[in-house]
Amino acid sequence: MKDLMERKEIGEALEGEKKYRHLAKLMPIGVYSINELGLITFYNDRAAEIWGRRPRLNDITEQPFCGSLKIFTPDGKPMPHDESYTARALKEQRSFRNEELYIEGADGHLIELIVSSDPVFNEDGLLTGAISVFHDITQRKRAEDDLRRLAGIVESSQDAIYSRTLDGVVTSWNLGAERIFGFEKTEILGKSISLFTPESYQEEELNIIGKICRGEKVEPVETIRKNHFGRHLYLSLTMSPIHDNKGRVIGITTVARDNSDQVQIRNELQLYNERLKQLDNHNNRFIGLASHELKTPLTVIKGHLEWLALESQNGMNKSSVTKALIHIDRLSDLVSSLLDVSKVDGGALQLNLASFNISDLLNESIETVMATEKTHQIMLENCLDCIVVADRQRIEQAVTNLLLNAIKYSPDADKVLVRCKTEGDDVVVSVQDFGIGIPADQLDKVFSRFYRVEGLAPSFSGLGIGLYITSEIIKRHHGDIWVESEIGKGSVFSFKIPCK
Ligand code: ADP
């Protein structure tokens, strides 16, 4: 209940000019008046709020024409107070409507105002002052700018961005959507999303909308829609709700990214991979079969040559047979390696585990290699006794591969160093050469099947399978193999396997 005094005051206020002043007090916009000298004679609370100050009324020491101390033109230049629209309404005796200007608010921020000013005359037509109304449009302008910026982003997006009502009527459609779906804005607005949602995906869309309406979080979905011409599009859809001012979901905004190209590439890659796998299997089977078939005649030829070597009395014949035997051995090794590759690939590389001293094995391997390779001295450095449980033959094969490579790829050197040490529960064996080295970007690749370093001189013969088999042997022993190398300085191949 208003008290009596206040009611009386309102009653009185409703008389004459007071009535208008009271009306002005209630208005949500700034209102003020000046007299013919430019002194402020009245302002309402909203005006004071916008100015950020309460100027004294009818006071010649106050700034005339306007309650704000600093005013600016729309392009940011300071505006003299006697050029403000209220001052001009008074001086030029004319009205101004919806003019824009800035004032400096109490906290120093610029406030954008829309101002209308009128001159005021008395009953005799004499000029008595001016009156202005103004309102703060800073927030509205900011919101408009934000909206414009947002609309720019939406329009320039490569993604399709569109919105729809809950019952599936399209309400907005950007350029990206035109490009991806092939429907122009004018032909799709107001139409149903079923135009680009295949029937079998309509249920999925309904489910997502159900979730969004229940306020559940919806992750982006990889799905299929169709374009204007019925072609399937592989899209990633991110959907989010549009709320009304009461917070109710009234529609959905969708950002659709076209993944069709990626999906097509992925599918093609998958096909290629499958095809490659098939070819690889054929290759493996062929290598396995061919090496198996070669092994028997080789063994027979070798048997006959050995018999011939024993029987040959003539020196010339004997040396030819011995040479033939050396080459038959090389051929046998090659065929054995190919057979090993097919075993590794077919998962059939069997290990016969036994315990032995690794230093014995290294000594024997070095002796065997040095018996045929006379160009290099292989030296075993600081090797301690260490018992391992492993396949002796396979570890010897691995060490021999590394030694033969060390010799083959260091034609200008004359020594190879072998080291052996324990590291925790492992034994680490290293073979160091002083040869051509391996480029850094190919260090990892040399353990791959059939891989040979690019640009290798033709004099280095080989098939690129020795290190592949060696690394598979080490891996089967739960070990590890690696190489450090420097071009022109040499390489150190190392492997480690558990001691026991
Ligand atoms: P191959 O020697 O029969 O080509 P490997 O599988 O034994 O096959 O070796 C693979 C490749 O790694 C070789 O072709 C060679 O380019 C490189 N390589 C192997 N060992 C050495 C080494 N000690 N020094 C330099 N390069 C090497």
Side-chain angles (χ1 to χ4, degrees):
M1 272 289 275
K2 305 254 178 226
D3 64 27
L4 198 59
M5 281 289 289
E6 201 178 336
R7 268 192 277 161
K8 233 176 124 198
E9 197 184 312
I10 295 173
E12 280 168 9
L14 293 179
E15 293 303 318
E17 193 196 331
K18 280 186 180 169
K19 180 164 82 179
Y20 295 109
R21 290 195 175 217
H22 187 75
L23 214 63
K25 256 188 175 175
L26 299 178
M27 280 160 83
I29 55 173
V31 179
Y32 76 106
S33 61
I34 56 171
N35 64 16
E36 67 276 23
L37 299 174
L39 302 182
I40 297 176
T41 53
F42 167 80
Y43 57 85
N44 70 353
D45 287 345
R46 180 65 185 137
E49 203 181 308
I50 295 173
W51 290 332
R53 62 188 294 269
R54 288 190 166 272
R56 288 178 301 278
L57 298 181
N58 298 306
D59 188 336
I60 50 163
T61 62
E62 277 283 356
Q63 175 73 56
F65 304 116
C66 177
S68 174
L69 296 180
K70 285 186 184 163
I71 50 181
F72 303 91
T73 60
D75 52 9
K77 293 193 186 110
M79 185 187 252
H81 278 70
D82 59 358
E83 284 176 24
S84 69
Y85 295 105
T86 323
R88 287 177 64 190
L90 183 71
K91 283 197 272 180
E92 297 169 27
Q93 299 192 17
R94 67 183 180 99
S95 298
F96 292 89
R97 288 287 170 267
N98 298 323
E99 302 289 351
E100 281 188 32
L101 59 80
Y102 287 87
I103 63 167
E104 192 178 275
D107 54 1
H109 279 99
L110 285 186
I111 300 173
E112 194 169 356
L113 299 182
I114 289 280
V115 182
S116 292
S117 302
D118 277 331
V120 177
F121 303 96
N122 67 10
E123 285 159 1
D124 302 326
L126 292 173
L127 182 71
T128 59
I131 185 162
S132 284
V133 294
F134 57 97
H135 56 268
D136 177 355
I137 56 162
T138 319
Q139 295 295 342
R140 198 188 80 198
K141 268 288 174 75
R142 209 169 284 161
E144 279 172 8
D145 286 350
D146 285 351
L147 262 182
R148 242 194 313 276
R149 249 196 308 277
L150 211 62
I153 294 171
V154 168
E155 266 321 295
S156 61
S157 165
Q158 288 299 304
D159 294 335
I161 303 178
Y162 58 91
S163 50
R164 41 158 298 183
T165 59
L166 288 183
D167 45 9
V169 176
V170 178
T171 48
S172 74
W173 193 253
N174 76 340
L175 278 176
E178 287 194 355
R179 192 177 50 79
I180 292 175
F181 289 99
F183 290 99
E184 282 185 18
K185 196 183 218 152
T186 45
E187 62 182 316
I188 194 82
L189 286 186
K191 302 272 172 52
S192 165
I193 57 150
S194 59
L195 282 175
F196 53 88
T197 312
E199 226 174 287
S200 47
Y201 287 87
Q202 289 179 6
E203 177 125 3
E204 172 198 73
E205 178 112 3
L206 283 178
N207 282 338
I208 298 173
I209 287 160
K211 280 187 182 173
I212 292 177
C213 288
R214 288 193 298 276
E216 292 172 27
K217 188 170 163 25
V218 177
E219 296 295 335
V221 275
E222 302 268 320
T223 184
I224 291 178
R225 295 291 178 265
K226 58 183 180 181
N227 71 4
H228 202 338
F229 313 102
R231 189 170 77 84
H232 275 179
L233 302 166
Y234 296 88
L235 304 175
S236 158
L237 300 188
T238 308
M239 298 191 188
S240 37
I242 304 171
H243 294 107
D244 66 6
N245 53 10
K246 294 208 171 67
R248 289 175 302 212
V249 179
I250 52 164
I252 309 285
T253 297
T254 304
V255 179
R257 175 155 297 182
D258 189 2
N259 289 338
S260 302
D261 288 349
Q262 283 99 309
V263 170
Q264 199 183 338
I265 291 170
R266 203 165 56 205
N267 288 346
E268 278 174 15
L269 265 179
Q270 214 165 329
L271 274 178
Y272 282 132
N273 266 338
E274 274 161 23
R275 185 93 191 89
L276 265 179
K277 240 185 234 161
Q278 274 175 0
L279 283 174
D280 213 33
N281 284 344
H282 283 311
N283 277 349
N284 287 346
R285 260 208 306 277
F286 173 76
I287 291 172
L289 272 177
S291 39
H292 189 77
E293 290 302 313
L294 285 169
K295 199 124 189 121
T296 320
L298 269 177
T299 317
V300 175
I301 296 171
K302 191 176 171 183
H304 283 285
L305 284 174
E306 279 167 349
W307 178 79
L308 265 179
L310 279 178
E311 292 297 307
S312 297
Q313 304 301 329
N314 172 324
M316 277 252 299
N317 285 351
K318 200 169 178 113
S319 106
S320 297
V321 172
T322 312
K323 275 184 195 149
L325 264 173
I326 290 172
H327 286 281
I328 281 293
D329 279 343
R330 283 196 191 147
L331 207 55
S332 290
D333 286 348
L334 217 64
V335 170
S336 298
S337 296
L338 282 173
L339 209 56
D340 282 344
V341 170
S342 86
K343 278 184 193 163
V344 166
D345 291 342
L349 189 77
Q350 298 287 341
L351 296 186
N352 296 315
L353 298 182
S355 63
F356 59 91
N357 190 335
I358 193 89
S359 86
D360 292 346
L361 176 131
L362 290 175
N363 277 310
E364 278 169 37
S365 307
I366 291 171
E367 212 171 292
T368 316
V369 171
M370 285 198 18
T372 52
E373 308 294 326
K374 307 287 184 197
T375 51
H376 291 64
Q377 187 70 28
I378 307 177
M379 287 174 280
L380 180 60
E381 290 187 338
N382 49 16
C383 184
L384 297 174
D385 282 346
C386 175
I387 304 297
V388 294
V389 177
D391 185 320
R392 198 179 203 285
Q393 231 181 329
R394 289 295 181 190
I395 296 294
E396 186 175 350
Q397 183 182 356
V399 172
T400 309
N401 271 342
L402 296 182
L403 292 176
L404 290 175
N405 275 352
I407 293 170
K408 176 160 71 169
Y409 294 106
S410 65
D412 299 330
D414 58 3
K415 68 173 177 200
V416 169
L417 302 180
V418 180
R419 294 186 192 90
C420 168
K421 61 175 179 181
T422 51
E423 219 176 66
D425 294 338
D426 295 325
V427 57
V428 182
V429 175
S430 305
V431 176
Q432 180 174 14
D433 66 60
F434 303 89
I436 60 172
I438 299 168
D441 62 333
Q442 295 180 56
L443 285 177
D444 287 346
K445 299 181 186 159
V446 292
F447 300 104
S448 315
R449 194 174 54 151
F450 300 128
Y451 190 82
R452 309 204 73 215
V453 165
E454 285 162 22
L456 206 58
S459 53
F460 296 113
S461 64
L463 289 180
I465 51 180
L467 285 180
Y468 172 63
I469 295 168
T470 304
S471 79
E472 289 299 319
I473 291 173
I474 300 302
K475 277 188 218 154
R476 290 292 315 273
H477 282 85
H478 309 291
D480 199 5
I481 185 163
W482 64 98
V483 56
E484 294 143 279
S485 187
E486 207 177 321
I487 290 289
K489 294 240 165 97
S491 312
V492 184
F493 278 86
S494 307
F495 69 81
K496 67 176 177 188
I497 51 171
C499 284
K500 285 212 176 92

